[in-house]
């Protein structure tokens, strides 16, 4: 059974932490677009040179670039058993492109886990990290970008009946347990539309 998931949440909501735990437990790859982009920047590839300034400013990289990266990544064989998208989609056009891509593969998303955290806890968490774009002014800006461009995805996925809210203002172990509950309910429900028997 494939488990196709999206982790959605503002900067500092703990997506990366949870994605790492889920990938170990469920043996499906976590695809973190921020990590992919930072690796390109560090390696100084043409793509890295193109996206560097967006990352430094805390702006979103253009949709088409991101969609191409994800299309390529989802064509790798390790995603056959499922995947956890961490950091994609981040805009409505990205979400639409993802839906189209997955429809072609006949494997629609199983669920979108929204990690909810209040603004102050987010800023506190970002303050404990040491990434270049975690400087307070850039971190604040990334949160604004989230509210403007990514938050509309909450409604987008709620309308699809895929949104699952996770209270992420708690210690990571409790967040992890809440995510496990959701995944158990998906698996219990026959999970992947790939394997769900036809309704009678
Ligand atoms: P965060 O902790 O803010 O969620 P990420 O590591 O996911 O950080 O992303 C870091 C940066 O990478 C973003 O600020 C943005 O510049 C770029 N980025 C990552 N994913 C996307 C995406 N799906 N669309 C556009 N830009 C992205």
């Amino acid at each position: 059974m494939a488990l196709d998931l999206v982790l959605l949440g503002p900067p500092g909501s703990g997506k990366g932490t949870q994605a790492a735990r889920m990938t170990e437990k469920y043996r499906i790859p976590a695809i973190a677009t921020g990590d992919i982009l930072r690796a390109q920047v560090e390696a100084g590839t043409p793509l890295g040179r193109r996206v560097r300034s967006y990352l430094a400013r805390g702006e979103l990289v253009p949709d088409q670039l991101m969609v191409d990266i994800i299309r390529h990544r989802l064509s790798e064989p390790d995603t056959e058993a499922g995947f956890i998208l961490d950091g994609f989609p981040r805009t409505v056009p990205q979400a639409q492109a993802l839906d189209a891509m997955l429809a072609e593969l006949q494997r629609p998303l199983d669920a979108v886990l929204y990690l909810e955290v209040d603004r102050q806890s987010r800023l506190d968490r970002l303050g404990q990290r040491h990434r270049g774009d975690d400087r307070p002014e850039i971190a604040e800006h990334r949160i604004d970008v989230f509210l403007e461009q990514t938050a509309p995805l909450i409604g987008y996925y709620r309308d699809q009946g895929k949104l699952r809210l996770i209270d992420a203002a708690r210690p990571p172990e409790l967040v992890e347990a809440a995510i496990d509950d959701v995944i158990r309910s998906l698996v219990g429900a026959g999970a992947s539309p790939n394997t769900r028997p036809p309704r009678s």
Side-chain angles (χ1 to χ4, degrees):
M1 186 209 80
L3 195 55
D4 298 345
L5 303 171
V6 166
L7 272 183
L8 187 64
S13 59
K15 293 190 301 294
T17 303
Q18 295 302 327
R21 294 178 180 215
M22 292 161 73
T23 199
E24 272 205 10
K25 201 178 304 177
Y26 300 105
R27 306 261 157 224
I28 49 177
I31 301 173
T33 45
D35 290 347
I36 293 174
L37 295 171
R38 280 186 291 275
Q40 296 284 329
V41 171
E42 262 160 48
T45 63
L47 174 61
R49 286 199 295 277
R50 248 190 103 178
V51 302
R52 186 174 44 200
S53 70
Y54 292 98
L55 269 77
R57 285 178 285 134
E59 294 290 343
L60 295 186
V61 168
D63 287 335
Q64 196 52 54
L65 261 181
M66 296 311 304
V67 170
D68 289 344
I69 290 172
I70 290 295
R71 179 175 295 114
H72 181 256
R73 183 63 185 88
L74 291 182
S75 72
E76 310 256 339
D78 67 333
T79 60
E80 263 162 38
F83 53 76
I84 303 156
L85 290 176
D86 163 10
F88 182 95
R90 253 179 161 90
T91 64
V92 170
Q94 289 182 15
Q96 289 167 334
L98 177 65
D99 279 347
M101 224 182 282
L102 295 177
E104 245 174 60
L105 300 171
Q106 296 188 307
R107 54 183 298 179
L109 288 175
D110 292 303
V112 174
L113 309 179
Y114 178 52
L115 304 191
E116 267 190 310
V117 200
D118 57 281
R119 187 176 184 107
Q120 195 50 53
S121 330
R122 281 183 327 238
L123 286 170
D124 290 348
R125 285 182 189 179
L126 293 174
Q128 292 161 10
R129 303 199 308 207
H130 300 284
R131 233 166 64 192
D133 61 348
D134 286 335
R135 287 207 321 273
E137 8 18 306
I138 306 288
E140 286 266 7
H141 182 60
R142 280 162 48 227
I143 289 177
D144 290 339
V145 168
F146 173 85
L147 294 174
E148 263 168 46
Q149 305 197 52
T150 308
L153 294 181
I154 299 167
Y156 180 89
Y157 286 120
R158 184 181 284 129
D159 289 348
Q160 291 191 0
K162 300 218 161 135
L163 195 75
R164 300 287 186 282
L165 294 183
I166 306 282
D167 173 4
R170 299 177 291 172
E173 294 69 33
L174 296 182
V175 177
E176 186 180 356
I179 291 177
D180 286 341
D181 283 347
V182 169
I183 292 180
R184 220 170 291 125
S185 76
L186 292 170
V187 175
S192 167
N194 296 335
T195 57
R196 187 178 291 153
R199 260 168 238 215
S200 51

